[in-house]
Amino acid sequence: MKGPSTFCSLLLLSLLLSPDPTAAFLLPPSTACCTQLYRKPLSYKLLRKVIRVELQEADGDCHLQAFVLHLAQRSICIHPQNPSLSQWFEHQERKLHRTLPNLNFGMLRKMG
């Protein structure tokens, strides 16, 4: 049986020399891109679990435009034209309008 490969040796060396052992495994956020998009309708149960939503632009490192839904244990890449996602966004906007009725959302869209 052969000894450890060069890759394993370099990985072990980087862990030993790194002041933060977890830093060797963490990638910068800009390198984490969606490579596949979910196009099927989204369940209400799944959408209730969304913690945060990000828009991935199709520029730079990432080649696909997508909405990234962050859940507690995972993230899901959704096609931007997914109808159930559009309906969910409209529902969230109506909820926000009821909560903050005096806020000018038209002005926010122009700023964002």
Side-chain angles (χ1 to χ4, degrees), residues 28-85:
S30 63
T31 60
C33 296
C34 296
T35 58
Q36 295 180 348
L37 301 179
Y38 191 80
R39 296 173 184 266
K40 296 179 182 177
L42 304 168
S43 72
Y44 179 70
K45 183 178 178 181
L46 176 108
L47 291 170
R48 283 184 27 217
K49 296 178 182 180
V50 173
I51 297 170
R52 183 173 50 120
V53 178
E54 290 181 29
L55 176 63
Q56 172 183 293
E57 293 290 343
D59 58 0
D61 294 337
C62 302
H63 301 289
L64 295 174
Q65 184 177 26
F67 283 103
V68 184
L69 304 183
H70 295 277
L71 310 174
Q73 300 294 323
R74 62 188 174 135
S75 297
I76 303 170
C77 299
I78 308 296
H79 192 279
Q81 295 175 348
N82 186 310
S84 56
L85 186 62

